[in-house]
Amino acid sequence: LKLHPDRQGGDEEAFRTLQRAKNVLLSDKLRKQYDMLGLDLDEDDHQEDGDHHEDDDGANGEKKNGASTPDSVLSHMASTTVAFFLQLAVRTAMLATTSLLITRYKYTTVPTILFLFYTSFQIHKARKTVENAAAPITLYEIMSPVLISIGVFFMYIGRGDSENPWTKTFWFGETVTMTLFCLNSISSSASAALKPSAPLGMGLFILFSMVALYIRGKGWRYATFLAVELAFALIAVLVFPIMEMILEEIINEKLRKVGERIRVYGKVMESNYKTKLEEIQSAKPGIVTSVSSSRSQENNVELD
């Protein structure tokens, strides 16, 4: 507190150095980096960016600077991957419910189709009220429930008898429903680079036509897809932290080697500095003697 810039006789640079040293001592990560390198790599990133705060605010800032750090790239990748596979699993479960249960009976198919048409009408109605919004409702968002209802209808009328429940009509309806579910997933993702479009829809329709040709409305194949998606999500949960630990250990090993070289270089520089300093100090008497002799010669010349 004696060096606080707001106090009389305070030193801003010294106060910042002491505050940063305290942050390093309070943070396990920063202490580990300093022990490996002998340097504070994050010093420039944690300088104060404004007027000086009171003690309480400074303590909070120290906690933020020392204790909390940004998530790594692998952490972001892990969370994105897990979220993707979980969302895919939810869509698969919804599609399996539609294919195996809803479209099997007329008393569930008709209400579902009516509900989808009602949803489309409500979206169209809401479009008029948000025409000037930053993200207006698109025509695809209005027509998506109607197109899904068409797929559900084809799945219902395409069911054959008990011996052969799968037909080409059912395959077409299942393909349409899968395609729209995937397009809706893309549309609901705010950070997605792709947006629903006709070329993308055609590409997904071709892809899911082959998937539907394999599934053929069978529950155990839906269960297989669901199990694979959940397994990939579980693998992402387990693998990414291990990869992060391995990568961190590799980086720490590199930092230790760099730290050793920095310390050796520092010792060499210190030794060279001491040697130069000794040479200068040992050369000072000779310099003084030569200067005094030259001055005496000048005085003698003046006297003559």
Side-chain angles (χ1 to χ4, degrees):
L1 293 178
K2 293 180 180 180
L3 297 176
H4 197 283
D6 295 340
R7 291 178 176 271
Q8 186 176 4
D11 189 337
E12 180 179 356
E13 189 63 29
F15 179 78
R16 181 182 296 149
T17 302
L18 291 174
Q19 186 179 23
R20 184 57 193 161
K22 181 181 177 181
N23 294 341
V24 172
L25 293 174
L26 292 176
S27 171
D28 294 337
K29 180 181 178 181
L30 295 179
R31 287 184 64 181
K32 188 176 181 180
Q33 289 180 352
Y34 191 86
D35 291 339
M36 287 188 294
L37 284 175
L39 296 173
D40 183 9
L41 297 179
D42 298 335
E43 183 176 4
D44 294 335
D45 298 333
H46 294 275
Q47 289 182 353
E48 294 176 334
D49 52 357
D51 296 332
H52 300 285
H53 303 287
E54 295 297 328
D55 296 339
D56 292 340
D57 296 337
N60 294 333
E62 291 165 9
K63 291 180 182 179
K64 293 179 181 178
N65 289 340
S68 61
T69 55
D71 293 336
S72 64
V73 177
L74 283 177
S75 299
H76 286 294
M77 290 176 60
S79 60
T80 303
T81 304
V82 172
F84 169 76
F85 281 112
L86 289 178
Q87 186 182 39
L88 196 61
V90 171
R91 300 284 179 178
T92 303
M94 292 172 60
L95 185 59
T97 303
T98 304
S99 176
L100 300 174
L101 297 177
I102 294 177
T103 59
R104 184 179 294 273
Y105 308 102
K106 179 175 66 175
Y107 299 105
T108 54
T109 303
V110 173
T112 300
I113 293 175
L114 293 176
F115 174 76
L116 290 171
F117 271 95
Y118 175 76
T119 302
S120 178
F121 173 74
Q122 290 296 323
I123 295 174
H124 175 70
K125 187 177 178 181
R127 184 184 186 184
K128 298 179 180 180
T129 61
V130 293
E131 288 181 352
N132 298 326
I137 298 175
T138 62
L139 180 62
Y140 168 78
E141 292 173 334
I142 298 174
M143 294 301 299
S144 176
V146 176
L147 296 175
I148 292 176
S149 66
I150 293 174
V152 171
F153 175 74
F154 275 98
M155 290 169 69
Y156 172 72
I157 65 173
R159 284 190 176 276
D161 52 22
S162 58
E163 295 181 358
N164 186 22
W166 185 85
T167 62
K168 292 182 179 179
T169 306
F170 182 89
W171 163 81
F172 175 78
E174 196 171 28
T175 303
V176 169
T177 307
M178 287 182 179
T179 303
L180 290 167
F181 273 28
C182 184
L183 286 174
N184 289 339
S185 299
I186 295 174
S187 178
S188 62
S189 179
S191 61
L194 295 174
K195 296 298 180 183
S197 60
L200 179 61
M202 290 300 298
L204 291 175
F205 182 85
I206 295 172
L207 173 64
F208 286 114
S209 65
M210 293 183 286
V211 175
L213 192 63
Y214 166 76
I215 293 179
R216 292 176 175 264
K218 295 184 178 180
W220 68 270
R221 289 180 178 173
Y222 274 112
T224 302
F225 269 91
L226 187 61
V228 170
E229 292 159 0
L230 293 177
F232 274 114
L234 180 60
I235 290 172
V237 171
L238 297 176
V239 169
F240 275 101
I242 296 174
M243 291 175 57
E244 189 171 8
M245 291 172 58
I246 294 174
L247 184 60
E248 184 179 1
E249 188 61 31
I250 293 174
I251 293 174
N252 289 340
E253 185 63 27
K254 295 293 183 181
L255 288 176
R256 290 189 191 97
K257 293 181 180 180
V258 173
E260 292 174 1
R261 294 181 181 180
I262 291 175
R263 292 187 182 93
V264 171
Y265 182 74
K267 291 179 180 179
V268 172
M269 292 295 294
E270 185 179 0
S271 176
N272 291 338
Y273 173 76
K274 290 181 179 179
T275 304
K276 292 291 184 183
L277 186 61
E278 291 175 357
E279 291 177 356
I280 293 173
Q281 290 177 350
S282 61
K284 277 185 178 180
I287 295 174
V288 173
T289 304
S290 61
V291 170
S292 60
S293 61
S294 63
R295 285 182 177 177
S296 62
Q297 290 177 0
E298 291 176 357
N299 294 331
N300 294 331
V301 170
E302 290 177 357
L303 290 174
D304 294 339

